[in-house]
Amino acid sequence: MLYSFQFSNEELQKIPLLVCLLGENYRQEPVIRSNGMPYYQWLYVKKGQGEFVENGIRHIVNEGQTFFIPPDIPHSYRQMSEEWIIHVIGFTGVLCGQLMDTIKMKDPGVYLVKDRELFPRSIHRMISLKERCDEDVQRYLSKEGYSFLMDMAVNVQIMEKG
């Protein structure tokens, strides 16, 4: 399942970190984005193997690994195994750029996560919040998104480029 969110100008000004994309157990089709996306993306490979290309650099992404894509970075990704299942979170907001600089997460690439359950656990929690359909869901998702980024900051290690 994949959810995307639209925001009012008021929300964009009021909430400094907004979750704009959530996906859990998503069968990922091939993606080519020559202009990138306007928000940050973290993707986690739950099952299978894929290829991620950013700025002409090709990466192989295996089960249990993540890849990170900052806004406006040309990229593509596709499955290399029979089945490729991912979890994904996309986020934006007035605080994002500064936050990502502060926690030293600004380069696209493939990352290992020390706690392999961190990403699936966080996505599952956020999807559960979304499905409750509470009118203040975006504020709760923002809290979870911030917590997710803080946990990722201390749990990831970048893989070698290429």
Side-chain angles (χ1 to χ4, degrees), residues 7 19 32 37 43 51 61 73-74 82 85 93 97 104 113 120-121 126 143 153-154:
F7 308 106
V19 174
I32 299 173
M37 292 296 284
L43 297 97
E51 175 188 62
V61 192
I73 298 290
E82 185 175 320
I85 307 225
K104 310 278 188 271
V113 182
R121 187 173 54 242
M126 286 187 243
K143 288 179 185 181
V154 297

Side-chain angles (χ1 to χ4, degrees), residues 133-144:
C133 293
D134 180 59
E135 75 177 51
D136 209 13
V137 69
Q138 196 49 246
R139 186 169 57 89
Y140 294 117
L141 286 174
S142 179
K143 288 179 185 181
E144 285 295 328

Side-chain angles (χ1 to χ4, degrees), residues 8 40 59 80 102 111 134:
S8 68
Y40 293 89
H59 308 269
M80 294 182 68
T102 300
Y111 291 78
D134 180 59

Side-chain angles (χ1 to χ4, degrees), residues 42 54 59 65-68 104-113 155-162:
W42 266 111
E54 47 88 12
H59 308 269
Q65 294 178 334
T66 66
F67 55 109
F68 176 67
K104 310 278 188 271
M105 285 187 190
K106 49 189 177 175
D107 295 325
V110 176
Y111 291 78
L112 286 176
V113 182
N155 273 285
V156 298
Q157 173 185 350
I158 193 163
M159 303 285 292
E160 252 184 71
K161 290 269 187 182

Side-chain angles (χ1 to χ4, degrees), residues 45-60:
V45 179
K46 180 179 179 187
K47 185 174 184 182
Q49 182 183 65
E51 175 188 62
F52 165 52
V53 179
E54 47 88 12
N55 289 318
I57 302 170
R58 180 179 181 257
H59 308 269
I60 302 301

Side-chain angles (χ1 to χ4, degrees), residues 5 25 35 39 42 48 83 102 150 155-156:
F5 303 91
N25 298 321
N35 295 317
Y39 50 83
W42 266 111
E83 192 170 38
T102 300
M150 294 301 98
N155 273 285
V156 298

Side-chain angles (χ1 to χ4, degrees), residues 91-104:
F91 49 96
T92 189
V94 295
L95 179 65
C96 284
Q98 183 180 1
L99 175 62
M100 300 310 281
D101 284 346
T102 300
I103 63 176
K104 310 278 188 271

